[in-house]
């Protein structure tokens, strides 16, 4: 587990560690229950497609960042090319400065919701801001990294993330046939900074909601050399004495324009906040997405009510560690403030709030939620990740209008069970040639699908007893080979290509 570079050793658990290993994870157990609860039970295997480039965009220093996503797809025998699945986009946290689409908690959530039948994706987005030109030392490595030159840099970093998230969503929407996703059933969710971005993607839909700090503003001095080790500054050169801050463009950004209509049904807000009231303004012809919020009142990083980012952490740093407070962090509005806006303004959003009861006691050493207690029990986190994941799934499930996938195909009929005895395949896993052995007359055709639901071939069977399929040109992953019988019955074999 990699330590977060921006906060003290004794508070290392306040941010997630970041795992950098790319893994193509394929579950190989196939569940045939036709009585499972759609979108709740984890009944599907999944496949993954990693490091898909969805666009490029200009970073805070004027360079170009390449934006990527990882896509996780449920594997099921939904042979109809018209079948679709809901989409859930997960967005990692890290204070808009760190983190990765490969973060352990995010990849786990992508996989767990893919098992429920969603197409899921974890995205990268532009990270970083112009750091302060004054060194901020507190006997902790890279302490200067979290100090922005002014609070406008926080707004600009957040806004770039929203633009990138909107572009990633449009990338998938534009390829809805390829990925078999239902454009009328889209969900976005995130943790910490990722939750800020998720709510921005879903709710920042009018130009009036654009932060003023994202227009062209004055140049600022280049950052202190103390920030050279910051992850977001790696590979960047600061040769000029000042860094310009141009207009960042419209709320949708420039990545992947689309004419395809789509609907965001729900948002998952895990200990995030808003920079401004995004509930107040919405397009009149757009349905309001439902919002699930989880937040702990003792959160040191993102206040559950209104306050500055790092508000609680700053108290700990100045009262227990004799440190500087984090400079130039912005005022934000946490999950409880969002709830209150919705109630007071009668905005009409469906919001499910799950708040724990422990408040920050403003005590360094003693009591639940104190600075010392949060070393091992951080409040800027899920109290129980599995519980919150399941509660989010329960919240999203009634919102989905996609026709259930797989159930009718995976609940095998008696005829299908009989057909299973009429054919076999080997070797499996396969590298080059897959051999198929057939009984007389029982199998009339074979259909091969990839994990995204694309039909790769269909072969009619005449008098063959044995035939071969060439898998050498197919990428590694999981495929479905479907045998169709004389009366239309089907039997499926999952083929793993190595």
């Amino acid at each position: 587990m990699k330590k977060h570079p921006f906060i003290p050793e004794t508070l290392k658990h306040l941010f997630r560690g970041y795992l950098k290993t790319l893994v193509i994870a394929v579950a190989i157990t196939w569940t045939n229950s036709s009585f499972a609860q759609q979108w709740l039970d984890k009944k599907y295997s999944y496949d993954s497609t990693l490091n898909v480039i969805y666009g490029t965009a200009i970073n805070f220093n004027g360079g170009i960042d390449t934006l990527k996503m990882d896509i996780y797809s449920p594997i099921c025998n939904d042979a109809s090319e018209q079948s679709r699945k809901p989409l859930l986009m997960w967005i990692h946290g890290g204070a808009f400065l760190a983190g990765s689409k490969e973060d352990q908690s995010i990849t786990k959530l992508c996989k767990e919701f893919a098992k429920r039948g969603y197409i899921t994706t974890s995205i990268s987005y532009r990270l970083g801001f112009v750091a302060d030109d004054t060194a901020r030392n507190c006997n902790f490595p890279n302490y200067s990294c979290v100090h922005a030159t002014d609070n406008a840099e926080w707004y600009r970093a957040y806004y770039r993330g929203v633009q990138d998230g909107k572009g990633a969503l449009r990338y998938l929407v534009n390829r809805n046939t390829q990925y078999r996703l239902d454009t009328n059933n889209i969900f976005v969710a995130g943790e910490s900074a990722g939750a800020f971005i998720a709510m921005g993607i879903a709710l920042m839909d009018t130009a009036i909601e654009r932060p003023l700090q994202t227009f062209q503003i004055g140049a600022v001095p280049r950052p202190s050399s103390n920030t050279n080790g910051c992850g977001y500054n790696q590979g960047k050169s600061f040769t000029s004495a000042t860094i310009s801050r141009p207009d960042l463009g419209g709320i949708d950004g420039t990545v992947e324009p689309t004419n395809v209509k789509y609907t965001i049904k729900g948002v998952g807000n895990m200990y995030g906040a808003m920079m401004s009231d995004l509930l107040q303004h919405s397009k009149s012809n757009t349905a309001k997405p439902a919002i699930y919020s989880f937040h702990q009142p003792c959160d040191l990083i993102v206040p559950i009510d209104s306050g500055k980012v790092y508000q609680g952490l700053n108290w700990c740093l100045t009262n227990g560690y004799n440190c500087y407070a984090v400079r130039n962090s912005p005022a934000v509005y946490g999950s409880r403030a969002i709830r209150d806006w919705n109630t007071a303004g009668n905005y009409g959003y469906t919001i499910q709030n799950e708040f724990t009861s422990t408040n920050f006691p403003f005590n360094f050493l003693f009591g639940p939620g104190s600075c010392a207690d949060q070393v091992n029990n951080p409040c800027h986190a899920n109290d129980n990740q599995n519980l919150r994941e399941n509660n989010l799934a329960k919240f999203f499930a009634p919102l989905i209008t996609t026709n259930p996938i797989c159930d009718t195909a995976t609940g095998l009929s008696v005829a299908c069970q009989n057909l299973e005895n009429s054919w076999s395949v080997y070797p499996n896993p396969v590298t080059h040639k897959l051999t198929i052995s057939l009984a007389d007359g029982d199998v009339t055709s074979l259909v091969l699908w990839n994990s995204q639901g694309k039909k790769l071939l269909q072969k009619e069977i005449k008098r063959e007893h044995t035939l071969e399929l060439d898998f050498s040109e197919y990428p590694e992953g999981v495929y479905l080979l479907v045998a169709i019988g004389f009366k239309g019955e089907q039997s499926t074999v999952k083929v793993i290509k190595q």
Side-chain angles (χ1 to χ4, degrees), residues 124-177:
S124 69
Y125 53 93
R126 286 170 287 176
L127 298 176
F129 56 32
V130 182
D132 194 3
D133 62 332
T134 300
R136 304 284 170 180
N137 295 314
C138 198
N139 298 318
F140 300 112
N142 294 325
Y143 189 62
S144 287
C145 296
V146 75
H147 296 266
T149 190
D150 59 24
N151 70 10
E153 283 300 298
W154 283 89
Y155 288 90
R156 293 171 72 85
Y158 153 73
Y159 189 68
R160 285 188 289 265
V162 172
Q163 289 177 321
D164 295 346
K166 286 176 176 281
L169 184 54
R170 293 192 299 267
Y171 176 92
L172 292 165
V173 165
N174 283 339
R175 293 159 182 79
N176 66 83
T177 299

Side-chain angles (χ1 to χ4, degrees), residues 29-213:
T29 302
W30 185 271
T31 303
N32 286 328
S33 170
S34 61
F35 302 99
Q37 301 176 82
Q38 190 69 35
W39 321 123
L40 295 178
D41 288 351
K42 302 172 187 178
K43 57 180 180 171
Y44 304 118
S45 305
Y46 65 89
D47 198 4
S48 57
T49 306
L50 306 182
N51 291 316
V52 176
I53 296 174
Y54 70 85
T56 59
I58 299 173
N59 61 41
F60 71 92
N61 192 39
I64 302 294
D65 283 356
T66 299
L67 307 171
K68 300 179 181 180
M69 66 171 68
D70 296 339
I71 303 169
Y72 301 82
S73 305
I75 300 171
C76 54
N77 183 17
D78 53 342
S80 169
E81 295 185 21
Q82 302 303 314
S83 67
R84 291 289 188 267
K85 308 169 184 68
L87 170 68
L88 172 55
M89 177 184 291
W90 278 101
I91 307 167
H92 70 81
F96 310 111
L97 306 177
S100 164
K101 64 181 174 64
E102 293 96 32
D103 283 358
Q104 185 179 31
S105 62
I106 294 297
T107 56
K108 178 181 183 294
L109 287 163
C110 283
K111 294 170 183 176
E112 296 309 306
F113 276 87
K115 293 175 185 177
R116 292 181 169 97
Y118 292 77
I119 300 287
T120 63
T121 181
S122 172
I123 68 167
S124 69
Y125 53 93
R126 286 170 287 176
L127 298 176
F129 56 32
V130 182
D132 194 3
D133 62 332
T134 300
R136 304 284 170 180
N137 295 314
C138 198
N139 298 318
F140 300 112
N142 294 325
Y143 189 62
S144 287
C145 296
V146 75
H147 296 266
T149 190
D150 59 24
N151 70 10
E153 283 300 298
W154 283 89
Y155 288 90
R156 293 171 72 85
Y158 153 73
Y159 189 68
R160 285 188 289 265
V162 172
Q163 289 177 321
D164 295 346
K166 286 176 176 281
L169 184 54
R170 293 192 299 267
Y171 176 92
L172 292 165
V173 165
N174 283 339
R175 293 159 182 79
N176 66 83
T177 299
Q178 175 184 347
Y179 292 111
R180 307 280 288 280
L181 64 90
D182 185 348
T183 57
N184 292 316
N185 286 273
I186 292 176
F187 300 82
V188 290
E191 297 181 338
S192 190
F196 282 66
I197 293 171
M199 288 188 285
I201 293 169
L203 301 170
M204 188 185 293
D205 55 5
T206 63
I208 197 172
E209 295 172 317
R210 176 181 174 180
L212 294 177
Q213 297 87 341

Side-chain angles (χ1 to χ4, degrees), residues 32 34 77 407-417 420 490-492:
N32 286 328
S34 61
N77 183 17
D407 284 2
T408 56
T410 55
L412 298 177
S413 65
V414 174
C416 185
Q417 296 283 8
E420 285 186 328
Q490 297 183 10
S491 174
T492 302

Side-chain angles (χ1 to χ4, degrees), residues 265-330:
K265 289 286 189 69
V267 183
N269 162 33
M270 301 298 189
Y271 40 94
M274 294 184 188
M275 296 281 198
S276 61
D277 185 353
L278 297 179
L279 304 181
Q280 183 177 6
H281 304 283
S282 62
K283 292 181 179 179
S284 59
N285 61 344
T286 303
K288 295 178 178 179
I291 302 170
Y292 171 93
S293 291
F294 170 76
H295 215 137
Q296 302 194 65
C298 50
D299 195 319
L300 297 180
I301 308 301
V302 178
I304 191 172
D305 297 303
S306 59
K308 288 191 173 183
V309 173
Y310 298 130
Q311 184 168 280
L313 177 61
N314 282 341
W315 191 94
C316 293
L317 293 175
T318 55
N319 285 275
Y321 291 99
N322 195 29
C323 287
Y324 296 104
V326 176
R327 186 171 181 266
N328 290 328
S329 60

